[in-house]
Amino acid sequence: IRGGKWLPTTLGGVRVLVNGRECFVYFVSPTQVNVLTPPDTVAGPVPVEVQTINGTTTTTVSMARFSPALFAYSVAGRLYPAALFANERVYVAAPGVLPGAASRPAKPGDSIVLYANGLGTTNPPYPPGEGLTMAYPISDLSLVRVTVGGVSAAVQYAGMVYAGLFQVNIQVPEGIGEGDLPVVLHIGGQSTQPDVVLPFRR
């Protein structure tokens, strides 16, 4: 999404409303619709309406202030979060696992970047549905905690960098083990997927 460009609210004849508010649609296929929901302070069950040229269907989902998830990919049946070394175009991954991309395991003291969604509001508020031209820090960084192999990491930054995409910068803590270790982000009593791992070395 280029900065300053707006996401459409209708794509391929598909329109989605969550709690009566139009969502921003960025992908449509015969079996999947991806949308960016607008900010809403409501918590609890809310209606979802999907309108297509063939008709309308409705369901109910639960809305919460925070619903964190790490963007991840699968290799050999394991989930790895999309992670980069800070200020490098090098992925945190086993060497050679990502075709055409440089990668290596991380070690204690390294600064790495994770990508997530569902981290709540920003300060200043981000413009809903717009391709961002600047980063928007989350409202309260102290709410964010990241653990690596069960050890708390220093969270250096968290903010929205693209529409719906949050960047979280951490420093790998001392005292962790080696190999594939779970990386979990916690915010507001909610946590990301427990089965996402990254490779580490000492």
Side-chain angles (χ1 to χ4, degrees), residues 96-180:
V97 75
L98 300 171
S103 59
R104 68 176 188 269
K107 65 182 188 302
D110 284 341
S111 291
I112 63 175
V113 179
L114 305 170
Y115 297 94
N117 64 7
L119 302 191
T121 58
T122 63
N123 184 21
Y126 63 88
E130 184 177 351
L132 306 185
T133 57
M134 58 176 277
Y136 289 79
I138 68 166
S139 298
D140 187 352
L141 184 62
S142 69
L143 294 177
V144 180
R145 186 169 68 92
V146 176
T147 57
V148 175
V151 180
S152 291
V155 179
Q156 300 163 323
Y157 172 82
M160 186 177 288
V161 292
Y162 294 102
L165 176 67
F166 289 88
Q167 174 179 317
V168 181
N169 295 14
I170 68 168
Q171 184 173 44
V172 179
E174 301 290 339
I176 63 171
E178 291 188 294
D180 285 353

Side-chain angles (χ1 to χ4, degrees), residues 5-7 21 24 36-39 125-132 160 163:
K5 299 294 185 180
W6 288 88
L7 290 169
R21 303 181 65 188
F24 304 97
L36 177 66
T37 58
Y126 63 88
E130 184 177 351
L132 306 185
M160 186 177 288

Side-chain angles (χ1 to χ4, degrees), residues 10-110:
T10 302
L11 184 65
V14 175
R15 180 171 175 255
V16 179
L17 290 87
V18 173
N19 201 29
R21 303 181 65 188
E22 283 191 320
C23 295
F24 304 97
V25 187
Y26 62 92
F27 176 81
V28 172
S29 78
T31 59
Q32 180 175 324
V33 178
N34 293 358
V35 301
L36 177 66
T37 58
D40 200 322
T41 58
V42 173
V46 296
V48 175
E49 183 176 311
V50 180
Q51 302 173 357
T52 73
I53 58 175
N54 297 314
T56 299
T57 186
T58 59
T59 188
T60 300
V61 300
S62 181
M63 182 174 287
R65 180 183 176 193
F66 303 109
S67 185
L70 292 171
F71 286 92
Y73 58 93
S74 177
V75 174
R78 304 203 76 176
L79 277 178
Y80 296 89
L84 291 165
F85 289 92
N87 303 315
E88 294 185 51
R89 292 189 176 183
V90 178
Y91 285 85
V92 182
V97 75
L98 300 171
S103 59
R104 68 176 188 269
K107 65 182 188 302
D110 284 341

